[in-house]
Amino acid sequence: MQRRNFIKNMGLLSAVFGVSAPAVFAGTPKENEDYSFRRVSGRINCEGKGLEKVVVSDGFSVTQTDAKGNYVLEAHYDARFLFYTLPSGYEIPNEKGIARFYMALKKGQKQQQADFSLVKAKQDDTRHAFVVWADTQIKTEEDAQKLLTISAPDAHTHIQKLMDRPVFGIGCGDLVWDNFDLFKDYREAVAMTGIPFWQVIGNHDMDYGARTDDASQESFEAQFGPSYYSFNKGKVHYVVLDDVFFIGAGHRYIGYLTETQLRWLEKDLSYIPQGSTVVVALHIPSNTGDKRRNKRKEEEMGGVLTNRKALYELLKPYKVQIVSGHTHWNEVWEKDNITEHNLGTVCGAWWSGPVCGDGTPNGFGVFEVAGDDISWYYKSTGYEKEHQLRLYKPGADKERPQAVIANIWNHDKRWTVEWFEDGVAKGKMEQYTGYDPSAAELYEGAALPQQRKWIEPILTDHLFQAVPAAGVREVRVKATDRFGHTFEERIQL
């Protein structure tokens, strides 16, 4: 069809320019390959009544249902799913917490029916909340048991405090650590939280036996459906992207969005009014301060989204929050219309200690939505939400032996950090880049940690120092976040 004609035309061009077709193409298409488009039609309803203007996609094309809830779409020959963008005001369809919003497309079937029935939400979702699990990353049964007996119950307890409004979760990639047998444990952990979860693919959720990136999502898709899609809740539009691009060798990948995804996103956003709030979830962060902190000449291609400018350009008309994982540190940055939350992980330092490499406790992000405004905090596993900083006595940091150190892991430029000597205000603490003392004690050196010795502490910007005067008995630190919430810790000297 279209592709066959393209190949035929390329053959003619080859003859004109004196270049043989085999020099352009690595091989010729098999006779039984089918490059025809497929007609998919269906209806989306609630209690038998068709729902109008529900966005439907195959990951390539995007359309909407008509006044009776019907749609017709010419599905791309490479499309693997037909899915819809959940409209606001409806329950998230799920199977024991795993979001189900799609139907698999069959190869070779020229026509297919895909109908969906939605359920009206019991609560107004203009006000809602969501939690983000970054890197549950279970590799062994022991890791899985920690997730199931510590992290998931802790999340369930905290989520119950948010249930005066609709709540959902996002698993922000690296759900497992290359051990796909443990997807069952991840699914069980999700079910324990009591809320539906949407999933993001991470680099450890990919099939590294695939020939190219195109097939590297197969195991993930068998569990969770498409690796990029969108949904709505209240006044907010949510987009999940697959920015882990397998380069076809070993376990190597780069942070990259394909042209197919960017074109789909452009079509998806065409239905969203400019000025709206958009939340983007992806595994590899779009950007971090790692290059600056470590004085690198180049960014690590597997550490950030290499073609982020293309993403930012599409998001320019919106108020944007990005949530990401991958790094095993916590960092919040903002520029122009974008705020990114590169979240600390559920697994901490790969289940080898109670903190990430930057000293952020094992935990997850919590985001509270009111209309099109979003506020947030970091929830540390085993602590109440008020636990937002940790203090260290002088001597904890060998490079600053006289200083009291504060680690404020969810700090951003709109926080203020003040300190007091025996109740007397001393002004703002000095921010610096360094290593968290706990992370250094737990992970520094070839012999630590015992379970996974390759783990090392990570440079971070969310550290603060102050040198108390001689004879001071107590130092108090008061941190105020951008929303006016204050958190205090005291340390006796």
Side-chain angles (χ1 to χ4, degrees), residues 375-389:
S375 60
W376 57 84
Y377 57 91
Y378 187 85
K379 166 65 176 69
S380 302
T381 300
Y383 294 89
E384 296 298 325
K385 63 179 288 188
E386 290 74 22
H387 182 61
Q388 296 294 323
L389 67 153

Side-chain angles (χ1 to χ4, degrees), residues 236-266:
V236 180
H237 184 61
Y238 293 84
V239 177
V240 171
L241 297 175
D242 171 7
D243 69 341
V244 185
F245 188 88
F246 174 49
I247 65 172
H251 280 57
R252 286 177 285 179
Y253 55 87
I254 61 174
Y256 180 77
L257 290 173
T258 62
E259 178 65 18
T260 297
Q261 253 186 109
L262 291 170
R263 286 184 180 181
W264 168 82
L265 178 60
E266 190 169 23

Side-chain angles (χ1 to χ4, degrees), residues 193-441:
T193 67
I195 58 172
F197 262 69
W198 306 86
Q199 321 306 326
V200 179
I201 190 171
N203 52 290
H204 287 290
D205 305 316
M206 296 195 305
D207 296 283
Y208 286 110
R211 189 165 65 177
T212 67
D213 180 69
D214 290 343
S216 66
Q217 306 92 4
E218 287 186 358
S219 293
F220 175 89
E221 289 179 345
Q223 298 281 337
F224 309 113
S227 62
Y228 61 92
Y229 53 90
S230 65
F231 61 95
N232 296 300
K233 207 69 178 166
K235 294 183 177 181
V236 180
H237 184 61
Y238 293 84
V239 177
V240 171
L241 297 175
D242 171 7
D243 69 341
V244 185
F245 188 88
F246 174 49
I247 65 172
H251 280 57
R252 286 177 285 179
Y253 55 87
I254 61 174
Y256 180 77
L257 290 173
T258 62
E259 178 65 18
T260 297
Q261 253 186 109
L262 291 170
R263 286 184 180 181
W264 168 82
L265 178 60
E266 190 169 23
K267 296 170 186 175
D268 175 80
L269 290 175
S270 70
Y271 295 98
I272 306 304
Q274 294 189 6
S276 300
T277 296
V278 174
V279 174
V280 177
L282 34 71
H283 180 62
I284 296 177
S286 75
N287 199 10
T288 74
D290 180 64
K291 176 184 173 184
R292 169 182 50 79
R293 285 190 291 270
N294 288 281
K295 298 181 173 61
R296 304 185 197 278
K297 292 183 179 180
E298 301 289 341
E299 293 176 328
E300 292 193 12
M301 295 185 71
V304 293
L305 180 59
T306 55
N307 59 339
R308 58 179 172 266
K309 289 183 180 178
L311 175 63
Y312 294 167
E313 186 64 28
L314 292 178
L315 295 172
K316 191 176 291 184
Y318 305 99
K319 297 184 293 184
V320 179
Q321 302 280 337
I322 298 177
V323 294
S324 57
H326 188 57
T327 61
H328 294 250
W329 68 61
N330 201 78
E331 180 177 8
V332 183
W333 65 265
E334 60 185 308
K335 184 179 180 182
D336 301 326
N337 65 318
I338 295 175
T339 301
E340 179 159 4
H341 310 261
N342 184 211
L343 288 156
T345 62
V346 175
C347 73
W350 296 268
W351 299 108
S352 297
V355 299
C356 301
D358 66 338
T360 301
N362 300 9
F364 54 92
V366 181
F367 297 81
E368 298 183 308
V369 183
D372 56 5
D373 291 327
I374 301 180
S375 60
W376 57 84
Y377 57 91
Y378 187 85
K379 166 65 176 69
S380 302
T381 300
Y383 294 89
E384 296 298 325
K385 63 179 288 188
E386 290 74 22
H387 182 61
Q388 296 294 323
L389 67 153
R390 183 187 301 111
L391 300 186
Y392 298 97
K393 293 181 179 181
D397 186 334
K398 291 177 288 188
E399 295 186 5
R400 299 164 181 80
Q402 305 303 315
V404 168
I405 305 298
N407 189 338
I408 305 172
W409 38 83
N410 214 32
H411 176 272
D412 62 52
K413 64 183 182 181
R414 299 195 192 183
W415 284 57
T416 59
V417 183
E418 306 163 276
W419 70 294
F420 303 79
E421 286 184 339
D422 291 336
V424 178
K426 302 299 291 184
K428 294 183 179 180
M429 293 186 82
E430 177 189 356
Q431 187 174 5
Y432 71 96
T433 300
Y435 295 101
D436 172 78
S438 285
E441 182 180 357

Side-chain angles (χ1 to χ4, degrees), residues 38 58-60 75-81 105 107:
R38 294 161 286 171
D58 65 342
F60 294 85
H76 193 275
Y77 46 79
D78 281 336
R80 298 196 279 260
F81 295 95
L105 294 175
K107 282 285 187 183

Side-chain angles (χ1 to χ4, degrees), residues 34-310:
D34 187 354
Y35 296 113
S36 59
F37 287 70
R38 294 161 286 171
R39 185 178 188 273
V40 184
S41 59
R43 185 169 183 263
I44 299 179
N45 74 90
C46 177
E47 297 181 349
K49 183 179 179 181
L51 297 178
E52 185 180 10
K53 294 184 177 179
V54 178
V55 174
V56 181
S57 179
D58 65 342
F60 294 85
S61 300
V62 179
T63 189
Q64 279 186 317
T65 56
D66 63 18
K68 295 182 179 180
N70 298 313
Y71 72 90
V72 178
L73 186 144
E74 294 295 314
H76 193 275
Y77 46 79
D78 281 336
R80 298 196 279 260
F81 295 95
L82 190 288
F83 55 92
Y84 61 90
T85 297
L86 181 73
S88 297
Y90 292 87
E91 299 287 348
I92 298 171
N94 68 90
E95 179 185 311
K96 296 182 179 179
I98 303 298
R100 299 297 190 203
F101 55 100
Y102 57 88
M103 183 176 290
L105 294 175
K106 297 176 182 178
K107 282 285 187 183
Q109 188 167 318
K110 302 303 182 185
Q111 295 193 25
Q112 190 168 345
Q113 187 85 4
D115 299 325
F116 301 96
S117 294
L118 304 185
V119 176
K120 195 74 176 175
K122 299 179 182 66
Q123 298 171 286
D124 176 16
D125 60 10
T126 305
R127 177 174 173 264
H128 64 271
F130 63 98
V131 302
V132 181
W133 275 5
D135 300 69
T136 46
Q137 202 152 353
I138 46 178
K139 187 175 184 66
T140 66
E141 290 291 347
E142 182 182 357
D143 296 340
Q145 285 305 303
K146 291 177 182 176
L147 175 64
L148 290 168
T149 62
I150 300 172
S151 298
D154 178 78
H156 171 77
T157 298
H158 189 71
I159 287 166
Q160 290 304 302
K161 301 173 183 178
L162 302 170
M163 295 299 280
D164 59 336
R165 73 210 93 171
V167 186
F168 64 88
I170 298 175
C172 216
D174 283 1
L175 314 178
V176 297
W177 185 355
D178 303 325
N179 185 349
F180 297 162
D181 289 341
L182 297 178
F183 274 136
K184 68 181 188 308
D185 297 274
Y186 172 79
R187 292 160 63 98
E188 184 180 346
V190 164
M192 291 175 66
T193 67
I195 58 172
F197 262 69
W198 306 86
Q199 321 306 326
V200 179
I201 190 171
N203 52 290
H204 287 290
D205 305 316
M206 296 195 305
D207 296 283
Y208 286 110
R211 189 165 65 177
T212 67
D213 180 69
D214 290 343
S216 66
Q217 306 92 4
E218 287 186 358
S219 293
F220 175 89
E221 289 179 345
Q223 298 281 337
F224 309 113
S227 62
Y228 61 92
Y229 53 90
S230 65
F231 61 95
N232 296 300
K233 207 69 178 166
K235 294 183 177 181
V236 180
H237 184 61
Y238 293 84
V239 177
V240 171
L241 297 175
D242 171 7
D243 69 341
V244 185
F245 188 88
F246 174 49
I247 65 172
H251 280 57
R252 286 177 285 179
Y253 55 87
I254 61 174
Y256 180 77
L257 290 173
T258 62
E259 178 65 18
T260 297
Q261 253 186 109
L262 291 170
R263 286 184 180 181
W264 168 82
L265 178 60
E266 190 169 23
K267 296 170 186 175
D268 175 80
L269 290 175
S270 70
Y271 295 98
I272 306 304
Q274 294 189 6
S276 300
T277 296
V278 174
V279 174
V280 177
L282 34 71
H283 180 62
I284 296 177
S286 75
N287 199 10
T288 74
D290 180 64
K291 176 184 173 184
R292 169 182 50 79
R293 285 190 291 270
N294 288 281
K295 298 181 173 61
R296 304 185 197 278
K297 292 183 179 180
E298 301 289 341
E299 293 176 328
E300 292 193 12
M301 295 185 71
V304 293
L305 180 59
T306 55
N307 59 339
R308 58 179 172 266
K309 289 183 180 178

